[in-house]
Amino acid sequence: MFKDYYPYAHVKSVFTIDYLALYRKGYKGLIFDIDNTLVHHGDDSTAQIDALFEQLKAMGFITLLLTNNEEKRVKRFTRNIDTLYICDADKPDTKNYLKALKMMGLSNNNTVFIGDQLFTDILGANKSHIPSILVDFIRIDNSKIGKKRYLEKGILWFYQHNKRYCNRLKNIEK
């Protein structure tokens, strides 16, 4: 019932992913959402995120940002990051997920999508047959949680109790 929303893996943050393990498994491309995945919604990139993208590039990964944000926001975010991007992506529509693969020169077999929302990021990746990693969304203390986040918690409960779908990427968390 919920399998279209199940990520291949669920980790705490982009910093707890073992990217070397992903690379050794044959993944060469990483597609990231921005808001609440890499930084809090609307924030600029941080030195830590900039360093992560440098590290990923040095490892041999091709990266791309796939976001529903407008280009002005993405250009501000990528000021210190050398990466491909697609703005106004209309996630979870698969069109721009597939465009991302084409831009990267890769396939869904060697690319992973990383995002924080089941109903946009993960659903779109799954419909595009791209393995997906859900990260816990970045939340500032005492900030409100939308109704969708409560629905996501319910779906994640089922995901965590489904051996067939839970942790399909195996051993990719530090």
Side-chain angles (χ1 to χ4, degrees):
M1 180 173 159
F2 296 124
K3 68 181 171 95
D4 289 343
Y5 302 99
Y6 290 165
Y8 281 53
H10 179 200
V11 300
K12 184 167 178 56
S13 83
V14 296
F15 299 108
T16 62
I17 297 170
D18 186 342
Y19 294 100
L20 186 56
L22 281 175
Y23 197 82
R24 287 181 177 151
K25 291 176 189 273
Y27 294 103
K28 305 297 182 223
L30 301 170
I31 303 172
F32 289 91
D33 171 54
I34 298 175
D35 286 332
N36 294 329
T37 297
L38 295 171
V39 295
H40 185 261
H41 185 82
D43 285 357
D44 288 345
S45 183
T46 64
Q48 195 176 17
I49 292 294
D50 295 350
L52 173 64
F53 274 80
E54 282 296 320
Q55 175 189 7
L56 295 173
K57 186 176 182 180
M59 290 174 79
F61 279 108
I62 299 170
T63 60
L64 184 140
L65 302 174
L66 184 67
T67 177
N68 287 343
N69 283 302
E70 61 184 29
E71 188 166 19
K72 180 179 176 185
R73 191 273 191 267
V74 177
K75 283 192 177 219
R76 191 180 84 231
F77 182 83
T78 60
R79 183 173 35 233
N80 299 317
I81 299 173
D82 180 23
T83 188
L84 301 166
Y85 62 84
I86 298 174
C87 314
D88 302 310
D90 198 28
K91 294 182 289 183
D93 188 309
T94 61
K95 179 179 134 190
N96 284 309
Y97 287 83
L98 301 176
K99 178 181 178 182
L101 294 174
K102 194 172 197 170
M103 286 173 65
M104 298 167 81
L106 298 171
S107 73
N108 57 356
N109 295 324
N110 58 6
T111 304
V112 173
F113 182 91
I114 302 164
D116 71 296
Q117 291 190 54
L118 294 180
F119 298 113
T120 54
D121 300 326
I122 303 307
L123 177 61
N126 288 344
K127 286 173 37 181
S128 304
H129 306 286
I130 299 171
S132 56
I133 300 174
L134 177 72
V135 297
D136 291 343
F137 69 96
I138 298 171
R139 179 177 174 209
I140 294 178
D141 293 337
N142 299 322
S143 62
K144 288 185 177 183
I145 298 176
K147 292 176 186 172
K148 284 186 195 177
R149 295 292 184 183
Y150 289 106
L151 291 172
E152 287 179 340
K153 281 185 178 189
I155 292 170
L156 285 174
W157 185 90
F158 286 102
Y159 162 76
Q160 291 164 349
H161 292 86
N162 188 319
K163 290 181 177 152
R164 180 176 177 197
Y165 290 98
C166 191
N167 196 22
R168 288 176 275 174
L169 289 177
K170 303 204 184 324
N171 304 319
I172 56 97
E173 190 168 18
K174 294 180 190 177

